[in-house]
Amino acid sequence: MNADDFRDYMLSFLFLRYLSDNYEEAVKKELGSDYQKSELETQKNGTNPDTYINELKAVIIKYSNSLSPKKLGLQEDEKDHQKIEKARQEYVDDNNKMLYSHNVIPLAVWYIRNLDQVDMLEKQMRRKIHYVIKPAYLWSNIYELARTQNSQLLKTLQSGFKYIENESFESRFRGLFSEVNLDSDKLGKTYPERNNLLYSIIMEIANRLDEFPNEADLLGDAYEYLIGQFAAGSGKKAGEFYTPQQVSTILSRIVSLDSQDPSTGKKSKLKNVLDFTCGSGSLLINVRKQFGANGIGQIYGQEKNITTYNLARMNMLLHGVKDSEFQIHHGDSLLNDWNILNEMNPAKKMQFEAVVANPPFSYRWQPKEEMAEDFRFKNYGLAPKSAADFAFLLHGFHFLSDDGTMAIILPHGVLFRSGVEEKIRTKLLKDGNIDAIIGLPANLFFSTGIPVCVLVLKKCKKYDDVLIINASEYFEKGKRQNTLLPEHIDKIIKTYQYRKEDKRYSRRVSMEEIEKNGYNLNISRYVSTAPEEEVVDIEEVQQELEKIENEIKEAKTKHNEFLKELGLKLIP
């Protein structure tokens, strides 16, 4: 199994473990002493598991026989005996999944002993932690099936993934585990072969997962760490799903500051935030960290790549974001195929108080002619096919609220390229929408070694200049990647927040100067990090040369006197 495949299994099972442990812990608190009784019962009957399991199966059968057709999912007046018996058997089979493992987990025992109260418990769990997982699909049960090499492992996992995608949450998470293909030939050509390989994969992953805690924040950080490690190992491909944490922090801290006057500090709350190329969701998570668990009304993300789209959804839940608090859409931002962003009525248009993005750099795209009339682009122009950088920028900017802040990572080419990009850049500058430009060091990203910049845009800009920060020299050099240390990040944020001017680091550049330079925003044109040439005082140098010349004449005269006394040839 290659690294990418193992990544998908590792991250998916880490996610399953989090959901499972969190659910079991919440149920323990809810059931109290009843859960403890179930634990004692499993311990008491552990010496004779077969007899115990048969006893529990009998309980399921007895209860199923007492259910009315309606309780079995049929019409109350159903008369077809064969159909009723089939539904009854399906109910028994479904609950018997909890007993595939000979080491029955306590929650399964409680479910079986209290089948008439299961609906009530699950309703309460949905109210408290917003989701439910059946005992058969909990990580503790999956682990037992793998440990005991149970033939039902693969079938249980398939059913469990399907259940979590479609039934666990109020929102459907269709395709959440689509990257973990349990029918893949990579696992084996036959069911027994795939089942056997799953034993070793799950046991290996279980041993690694034991190293991680299960608190939401810590486990979420562990998930981010793993994504980062896989990103580092997979090189250029990683740019599709991961923005380094230190870069994410710069963007998230910028958009968290007051939009009109950043010097007044951070906003207390954020109505909403959008990342339209969200990858694994690390940027959105970082913005959320700035405000705390209840500081953002709603989180919105969009991602084109199906793998990273699923990573983002898992990442949200792993960081304790409730399914009602975020919306991640699988689609193409350039095509604007998300229905909520396609409202033509300006009064109903979605607007976001914060917009952050790290789109693919200089992405080649094929816009159709009619896109020139698209409401996002028609007042600016259509970005060239060779580089969609400004198309991404204009997409996000269109949905920025009048009192919001947008921070986007782009290659330096957007600052000086000519043609239609110059036209777009000029209009944004003349309209007073470009607030600041921050040049970052090279080799910070897994996907490229080129230096990039952060553009900060607003529709409520207070100042009539552009703050330009050249932070390209402030980093810690690494073997594979360069890193921004906390002090480097703090220097950028404080400079932006208080609009500081610092020689060879930052300047507030007037629109008059930018206009004189043809609306070219090349950072080094305004803030050069090159050491200043020493100023030469010509008059002082002339005097010094004359002094040296006189000293030479005096020395030569004196020397010739000695030569004359010795009868030697004089120096001319």
Side-chain angles (χ1 to χ4, degrees), residues 103-158:
N103 190 4
V104 184
I105 64 172
L107 189 56
V109 173
W110 186 91
Y111 264 60
I112 294 168
R113 296 292 189 197
N114 301 274
L115 286 165
D116 60 331
Q117 298 178 47
V118 167
D119 287 347
M120 191 184 303
L121 172 69
E122 291 185 348
K123 190 175 181 181
Q124 184 72 353
M125 289 299 98
R126 289 187 190 281
R127 195 158 41 238
K128 289 196 170 181
I129 61 171
H130 292 261
Y131 69 92
V132 166
I133 299 184
K134 298 288 187 186
Y137 309 136
L138 292 167
W139 174 252
S140 54
N141 192 58
I142 297 296
Y143 170 78
E144 281 302 321
L145 292 175
R147 188 182 66 80
T148 56
Q149 299 190 354
N150 193 292
S151 63
Q152 298 296 324
L153 172 61
L154 178 52
K155 284 182 181 177
T156 305
L157 264 179
Q158 287 172 324

Side-chain angles (χ1 to χ4, degrees), residues 414-425:
V414 299
L415 302 176
F416 53 78
R417 288 194 294 245
S418 58
V420 68
E421 290 182 292
E422 180 182 351
K423 178 186 171 187
I424 296 169
R425 184 173 63 245

Side-chain angles (χ1 to χ4, degrees), residues 334-353:
L334 293 178
L335 297 179
N336 199 30
D337 55 11
W338 196 357
N339 288 339
I340 67 169
L341 300 183
N342 255 316
E343 178 57 60
M344 300 303 293
N345 184 344
K348 295 181 180 179
K349 184 180 84 171
M350 282 289 291
Q351 292 187 313
F352 300 92
E353 194 175 349

Side-chain angles (χ1 to χ4, degrees), residues 37-52:
K37 287 176 186 176
S38 297
E39 283 183 310
L40 290 172
E41 183 177 324
T42 57
Q43 293 166 12
K44 179 182 174 184
N45 291 280
T47 54
N48 195 359
D50 290 335
T51 303
Y52 181 48

Side-chain angles (χ1 to χ4, degrees), residues 76-107:
E76 186 64 56
D77 58 353
E78 181 63 60
K79 302 297 182 186
D80 188 331
H81 181 72
Q82 195 172 8
K83 188 181 284 187
I84 293 171
E85 285 307 306
K86 183 183 177 184
R88 216 177 289 284
Q89 188 58 50
E90 286 175 352
Y91 179 86
V92 170
D93 292 342
D94 192 48
N95 282 284
N96 277 344
K97 290 176 183 176
M98 294 186 278
L99 302 173
Y100 286 159
S101 168
H102 275 217
N103 190 4
V104 184
I105 64 172
L107 189 56

